[in-house]
Amino acid sequence: MAISPLPELRRVVVLGTGGTIAGKAASSGDNIGYTAGQVGVADLLGGITAPEGVTLVAEQVAQLDSKDMSFETWQKLGQRCAHWLAQPDVAGVVITHGTDTLEETAFFLHSVLSSQKPVVLTCAMRPATALSPDGPQNVRDALAVASTTGAGGVTVVCAGTVHSGKDVQKVHTYSLDAFASGDAGPIGYVEEGVVRLVRAWPDASSSATSEAVNAPLPWPRVEIVMSHAGASGQIIDALLRDGAAEPVRGLVLAATGNGTLHHALEAAALKAQGAGVAVLRATRCAKGRILPKADDRLRDAGALTPVKARIALMLELLGE
Ligand code: SIN
């Protein structure tokens, strides 16, 4: 099904947060030795023609390498999205972002934004200074999605593919097509500025968590601990007695297979749960979900990856 862009004059707001898409290297032949988050979002839009009938607005929300993403930046980004999405003439928001934690930001926004309008994250695997950068085409494609009639929810556009913010994961360290959507598959493709949907747009999340973007910082501390061969309970024990200003309120266990845990790690996690820490198991597997069993003593995160389960648990604790 091909879907045409909106006919009337509308605004699409582009929020910049940094990343490789805004990165600069000393030489155009260098695709890896660059500094992320150097070029302003208005400059990234410089050579790009907006979709017909669309006016672009650029706003710099942050300028960072997304490995350093913080709750402060998420809060600001969530608030700026909510602000712009509430404007009647704004068709949607595009966010330029680093690839490394893009799936976390996408899942966070999916969880906290209640608008039905589209929020489209995009990125690049090559810096802006590259001989053949992928950022400009990704931005063009993201603008096409944000200005498409009927588009909605939080999506990620990279290498011509549209993923839902709930399912997307970075799966490649170098390829330009670095993202996948696991079992769910992509929701569509962008071809010459036209979106071809293969499944429905993601729903905006429930408004129940939308207050989270305004909740005072610091947000609840949730740590991820991995189960692996030779694991022990020592990391959990250390986390619970680490004496940091922010005590650990939640633990996500990156579990093997269908949510299994090394017995020593499981014993420490059960002790932590008994002491009032919220514990959630999320699978280390790239695909599939944890199928619950009647005798499970620790909750599972279904199909959520450990990093997304951490966000879900943090928001759950924030709502308590
Ligand atoms: C980043 O995540 O900010 C750097 C890496 C990238 O964008 O590919």
Side-chain angles (χ1 to χ4, degrees), residues 17-23 31 34 36-37 64-69 95-106 121-127 134-135 138 156-159 168-180 307-308:
T17 69
T20 295
I21 192 168
N31 288 327
Y34 57 86
L64 47 75
D65 187 319
S66 80
K67 71 181 175 55
D68 299 323
M69 185 52 69
I95 300 170
T96 56
H97 197 291
T99 61
D100 285 344
T101 58
L102 184 142
E103 69 211 62
E104 295 177 55
T105 301
L121 290 95
T122 195
C123 56
M125 290 296 284
R126 291 180 182 159
D134 51 329
N138 285 343
V156 169
V157 172
C158 182
V168 71
Q169 267 190 78
K170 186 173 180 181
V171 293
H172 204 286
T173 57
Y174 186 73
S175 166
L176 301 189
D177 192 4
F179 290 87
V307 291
K308 290 180 186 167

Coordinates of all heavy atoms in Angstrom, one line a residue, residues 17-23 31 34 36-37 64-69 95-106 121-127 134-135 138 156-159 168-180 307-308:
T17 N 19.9 15.8 18.6 CA 20.5 15.4 19.9 C 22.0 15.0 19.7 O 22.6 14.6 20.7 CB 19.8 14.2 20.5 OG1 20.0 13.0 19.7 CG2 18.3 14.4 20.6
G18 N 22.6 15.0 18.5 CA 24.0 14.6 18.3 C 24.1 13.3 17.5 O 23.3 13.1 16.6
G19 N 25.1 12.5 17.9 CA 25.3 11.2 17.2 C 26.3 11.3 16.1 O 26.8 12.4 15.7
T20 N 26.5 10.2 15.4 CA 27.3 10.1 14.2 C 26.8 10.9 13.1 O 27.5 11.5 12.3 CB 27.5 8.6 13.8 OG1 28.2 8.0 14.8 CG2 28.3 8.5 12.5
I21 N 25.5 11.0 13.0 CA 24.8 11.8 12.0 C 25.3 13.2 12.0 O 25.4 13.9 11.0 CB 23.3 11.7 12.1 CG1 22.6 12.3 10.8 CG2 22.7 12.3 13.3 CD1 21.1 11.9 10.7
A22 N 25.7 13.7 13.2 CA 26.2 15.0 13.4 C 27.7 15.0 13.7 O 28.3 15.9 14.3 CB 25.5 15.7 14.5
G23 N 28.4 13.9 13.3 CA 29.8 13.7 13.6 C 30.7 14.3 12.6 O 30.4 14.5 11.4
N31 N 35.5 6.7 8.2 CA 34.1 6.5 8.6 C 34.0 6.1 10.1 O 32.9 5.9 10.6 CB 33.5 5.4 7.8 CG 33.2 5.9 6.4 OD1 32.9 7.0 6.2 ND2 33.3 5.0 5.4
Y34 N 35.9 9.5 14.1 CA 35.3 10.8 14.2 C 34.8 11.1 15.6 O 34.8 10.3 16.5 CB 34.0 10.8 13.2 CG 33.0 9.8 13.6 CD1 32.1 10.0 14.6 CD2 33.1 8.5 13.0 CE1 31.2 9.0 14.9 CE2 32.2 7.5 13.3 CZ 31.2 7.8 14.3 OH 30.4 6.8 14.7
A36 N 31.5 12.3 17.5 CA 30.0 12.4 17.3 C 29.5 13.8 17.9 O 30.2 14.4 18.7 CB 29.3 11.3 18.0
G37 N 28.4 14.2 17.4 CA 27.7 15.4 18.0 C 28.4 16.7 17.8 O 28.7 17.4 18.7
L64 N 25.3 15.3 21.8 CA 26.2 14.3 22.5 C 26.3 13.0 21.7 O 25.6 12.8 20.7 CB 25.6 14.0 23.9 CG 24.1 13.7 24.1 CD1 23.7 12.3 23.6 CD2 23.7 13.8 25.5
D65 N 27.3 12.2 22.1 CA 27.5 10.9 21.6 C 26.5 10.0 22.4 O 26.4 10.1 23.7 CB 28.9 10.5 22.0 CG 29.3 9.1 21.4 OD1 28.5 8.2 21.4 OD2 30.4 9.0 20.9
S66 N 25.6 9.3 21.7 CA 24.5 8.7 22.5 C 24.9 7.6 23.5 O 24.0 7.2 24.3 CB 23.4 8.2 21.5 OG 23.8 6.9 21.0
K67 N 26.1 7.2 23.5 CA 26.6 6.3 24.5 C 26.5 7.0 25.9 O 26.4 6.4 26.9 CB 28.0 5.8 24.3 CG 29.1 6.9 24.5 CD 30.5 6.3 24.2 CE 31.5 7.5 24.2 NZ 31.5 8.2 25.5
D68 N 26.5 8.4 25.9 CA 26.4 9.2 27.1 C 25.0 9.7 27.4 O 24.8 10.7 28.1 CB 27.4 10.4 27.0 CG 28.8 9.9 26.8 OD1 29.2 8.9 27.4 OD2 29.6 10.5 26.1
M69 N 24.0 9.1 26.7 CA 22.6 9.6 26.9 C 22.3 9.5 28.4 O 22.7 8.6 29.2 CB 21.7 8.7 26.1 CG 20.2 9.1 26.2 SD 19.9 10.8 25.7 CE 20.3 10.8 24.0
I95 N 13.6 13.2 15.1 CA 14.7 13.4 16.1 C 16.0 12.8 15.4 O 16.0 11.6 15.0 CB 14.4 12.6 17.4 CG1 13.2 13.2 18.0 CG2 15.6 12.7 18.3 CD1 12.7 12.4 19.2
T96 N 17.1 13.6 15.3 CA 18.3 13.0 14.9 C 19.1 12.6 16.1 O 19.2 13.3 17.1 CB 19.2 14.1 14.1 OG1 19.3 15.3 14.9 CG2 18.4 14.5 12.8
H97 N 19.7 11.3 16.1 CA 20.1 10.7 17.3 C 21.3 9.8 16.9 O 21.3 9.2 15.8 CB 19.0 9.8 17.8 CG 19.1 9.4 19.3 ND1 20.0 8.5 19.7 CD2 18.4 9.8 20.4 CE1 19.9 8.3 21.0 NE2 18.9 9.1 21.4
G98 N 22.2 9.5 17.9 CA 23.2 8.5 17.7 C 22.6 7.1 17.6 O 21.5 6.9 18.2
T99 N 23.3 6.2 16.9 CA 22.7 4.8 16.8 C 22.8 4.0 18.0 O 22.1 3.0 18.2 CB 23.4 4.1 15.6 OG1 24.8 3.9 15.9 CG2 23.2 4.7 14.3
D100 N 23.8 4.3 18.9 CA 24.2 3.4 19.9 C 23.1 3.1 21.0 O 23.0 2.0 21.5 CB 25.5 3.8 20.6 CG 26.7 3.5 19.7 OD1 26.6 2.7 18.7 OD2 27.8 4.0 19.9
T101 N 22.4 4.2 21.4 CA 21.3 4.0 22.4 C 20.0 4.4 21.7 O 19.0 4.7 22.5 CB 21.6 4.8 23.6 OG1 21.7 6.2 23.3 CG2 22.8 4.3 24.4
L102 N 19.9 4.5 20.4 CA 18.7 4.9 19.8 C 17.5 4.1 20.2 O 16.4 4.6 20.4 CB 18.9 4.9 18.2 CG 17.8 5.4 17.4 CD1 18.4 6.1 16.2 CD2 17.0 4.2 16.9
E103 N 17.7 2.7 20.3 CA 16.6 1.9 20.6 C 16.0 2.2 22.0 O 14.9 2.0 22.3 CB 17.0 0.4 20.5 CG 18.0 -0.1 21.6 CD 18.9 -1.2 21.0 OE1 19.6 -0.9 20.1 OE2 18.8 -2.3 21.6
E104 N 16.9 2.7 22.9 CA 16.5 3.0 24.3 C 15.7 4.3 24.3 O 14.6 4.3 24.9 CB 17.7 3.1 25.2 CG 18.4 1.8 25.4 CD 19.7 2.0 26.3 OE1 19.6 2.5 27.4 OE2 20.8 1.6 25.8
T105 N 16.2 5.3 23.6 CA 15.4 6.5 23.5 C 14.1 6.3 22.8 O 13.0 6.8 23.2 CB 16.2 7.6 22.7 OG1 17.4 7.8 23.4 CG2 15.5 8.9 22.6
A106 N 14.1 5.5 21.7 CA 12.8 5.2 21.0 C 11.8 4.5 21.9 O 10.6 4.9 22.0 CB 13.1 4.4 19.8
L121 N 12.6 8.8 14.8 CA 14.0 8.9 15.1 C 14.8 8.5 13.9 O 14.4 7.5 13.3 CB 14.4 8.1 16.4 CG 13.8 8.6 17.7 CD1 12.6 7.9 18.0 CD2 14.9 8.4 18.8
T122 N 15.9 9.2 13.6 CA 16.8 8.8 12.6 C 18.2 9.0 13.0 O 18.5 9.7 14.0 CB 16.4 9.4 11.2 OG1 17.1 8.6 10.2 CG2 16.8 10.9 11.1
C123 N 19.1 8.5 12.2 CA 20.5 8.4 12.6 C 21.4 8.3 11.4 O 21.0 8.4 10.3 CB 20.6 7.2 13.5 SG 20.0 5.7 12.6
A124 N 22.7 7.9 11.6 CA 23.6 7.6 10.5 C 24.7 6.7 11.1 O 25.0 6.8 12.3 CB 24.2 8.9 9.9
M125 N 25.3 5.9 10.2 CA 26.4 5.1 10.6 C 27.7 5.7 10.2 O 28.8 5.3 10.6 CB 26.3 3.7 10.0 CG 25.1 2.9 10.6 SD 25.4 2.5 12.4 CE 26.6 1.2 12.3
R126 N 27.6 6.7 9.3 CA 28.8 7.4 8.9 C 28.7 8.9 9.3 O 27.6 9.5 9.2 CB 29.0 7.4 7.3 CG 29.3 6.0 6.8 CD 29.4 6.0 5.3 NE 29.7 4.6 4.9 CZ 29.5 4.2 3.6 NH1 29.0 5.1 2.7 NH2 29.8 3.0 3.3
P127 N 29.8 9.5 9.6 CA 29.8 10.9 10.0 C 29.4 11.9 8.9 O 29.4 11.5 7.7 CB 31.2 11.2 10.5 CG 32.0 10.2 9.8 CD 31.2 9.0 9.6
D134 N 25.5 8.7 5.0 CA 24.1 8.1 4.9 C 23.1 9.0 5.6 O 21.9 8.8 5.4 CB 24.1 6.7 5.5 CG 24.7 6.5 6.9 OD1 25.6 7.3 7.2 OD2 24.2 5.7 7.7
G135 N 23.6 9.9 6.5 CA 22.6 10.8 7.2 C 21.6 11.5 6.4 O 20.4 11.5 6.7
N138 N 18.8 9.4 5.2 CA 18.0 9.0 6.4 C 17.1 10.1 6.9 O 15.9 9.9 7.2 CB 18.9 8.5 7.5 CG 19.5 7.1 7.2 OD1 19.0 6.4 6.3 ND2 20.5 6.7 8.0
V156 N 11.4 4.4 14.0 CA 12.9 4.7 13.7 C 13.1 4.4 12.2 O 12.6 3.4 11.7 CB 13.8 3.7 14.5 CG1 15.2 3.7 14.0 CG2 13.7 4.1 16.0
V157 N 13.7 5.4 11.5 CA 14.0 5.2 10.1 C 15.5 5.1 9.9 O 16.2 6.0 10.3 CB 13.3 6.4 9.3 CG1 13.8 6.3 7.8 CG2 11.8 6.3 9.4
C158 N 15.9 4.1 9.3 CA 17.3 3.9 8.9 C 17.5 3.1 7.7 O 16.8 2.0 7.6 CB 18.1 3.3 10.1 SG 19.9 3.1 9.8
A159 N 18.3 3.5 6.7 CA 18.5 2.7 5.5 C 17.3 2.3 4.8 O 17.1 1.2 4.3 CB 19.4 1.5 5.8
V168 N 12.5 -2.1 17.8 CA 13.8 -1.9 17.1 C 15.0 -2.2 18.0 O 15.0 -1.9 19.2 CB 13.9 -0.4 16.5 CG1 14.0 0.6 17.7 CG2 14.9 -0.3 15.5
Q169 N 16.0 -2.7 17.3 CA 17.3 -3.0 18.0 C 18.5 -2.7 17.0 O 18.4 -3.1 15.9 CB 17.4 -4.5 18.3 CG 16.9 -4.9 19.6 CD 17.3 -6.4 19.9 OE1 18.5 -6.7 20.2 NE2 16.4 -7.3 19.7
K170 N 19.6 -2.2 17.5 CA 20.8 -2.1 16.7 C 21.4 -3.5 16.7 O 21.6 -4.1 17.7 CB 21.8 -1.1 17.3 CG 23.0 -0.8 16.4 CD 23.9 0.3 16.9 CE 25.0 0.5 15.9 NZ 26.0 1.5 16.3
V171 N 21.6 -3.9 15.4 CA 22.1 -5.3 15.3 C 23.4 -5.4 14.6 O 24.0 -6.5 14.4 CB 21.1 -6.2 14.6 CG1 19.8 -6.4 15.4 CG2 20.7 -5.7 13.2
H172 N 24.0 -4.3 14.1 CA 25.2 -4.3 13.4 C 26.1 -3.2 13.8 O 25.6 -2.1 14.0 CB 25.0 -4.3 11.9 CG 26.1 -4.9 11.1 ND1 27.3 -4.3 10.9 CD2 26.2 -6.1 10.4 CE1 28.1 -5.1 10.2 NE2 27.4 -6.2 9.9
T173 N 27.4 -3.5 13.9 CA 28.4 -2.4 14.4 C 28.8 -1.5 13.3 O 29.3 -0.4 13.5 CB 29.7 -3.1 14.9 OG1 30.2 -3.9 13.9 CG2 29.4 -3.9 16.1
Y174 N 28.6 -1.9 12.0 CA 29.2 -1.1 10.9 C 28.3 -0.9 9.7 O 28.4 0.2 9.0 CB 30.5 -1.8 10.4 CG 31.3 -1.0 9.4 CD1 32.0 0.1 9.8 CD2 31.4 -1.4 8.1 CE1 32.8 0.9 8.9 CE2 32.1 -0.7 7.2 CZ 32.8 0.4 7.5 OH 33.5 1.2 6.6
S175 N 27.5 -1.9 9.4 CA 26.6 -1.8 8.2 C 25.7 -0.5 8.3 O 25.2 -0.1 9.3 CB 25.8 -3.0 8.1 OG 24.7 -2.9 7.2
L176 N 25.4 0.0 7.1 CA 24.5 1.2 7.1 C 23.1 0.8 7.5 O 22.3 1.6 8.0 CB 24.5 1.8 5.7 CG 25.8 2.3 5.1 CD1 25.6 3.1 3.8 CD2 26.6 3.2 6.1
D177 N 22.8 -0.5 7.2 CA 21.5 -1.0 7.6 C 21.6 -1.7 8.9 O 21.7 -2.9 9.0 CB 21.0 -2.0 6.5 CG 19.5 -2.4 6.7 OD1 18.9 -1.8 7.6 OD2 19.1 -3.2 5.9
A178 N 21.8 -0.9 10.0 CA 22.2 -1.4 11.3 C 21.1 -1.9 12.2 O 21.4 -2.3 13.3 CB 23.1 -0.4 12.0
F179 N 19.9 -1.7 11.8 CA 18.8 -2.0 12.7 C 17.8 -3.1 12.2 O 17.7 -3.4 11.0 CB 17.9 -0.7 13.0 CG 18.7 0.3 13.8 CD1 19.6 1.2 13.1 CD2 18.6 0.3 15.1 CE1 20.3 2.1 13.9 CE2 19.3 1.2 15.9 CZ 20.2 2.1 15.3
A180 N 17.2 -3.8 13.2 CA 16.2 -4.8 12.9 C 15.1 -4.8 13.9 O 15.3 -4.1 15.0 CB 16.9 -6.2 12.9
V307 N 17.9 -3.8 28.0 CA 17.9 -2.4 28.1 C 16.5 -1.8 28.1 O 16.2 -0.7 28.7 CB 18.8 -1.7 27.0 CG1 20.3 -2.0 27.2 CG2 18.4 -2.1 25.6
K308 N 15.6 -2.4 27.3 CA 14.2 -1.9 27.3 C 13.5 -2.3 28.6 O 12.7 -1.5 29.1 CB 13.5 -2.4 26.1 CG 14.0 -1.7 24.8 CD 13.2 -2.2 23.6 CE 13.9 -1.7 22.3 NZ 13.4 -2.3 21.1

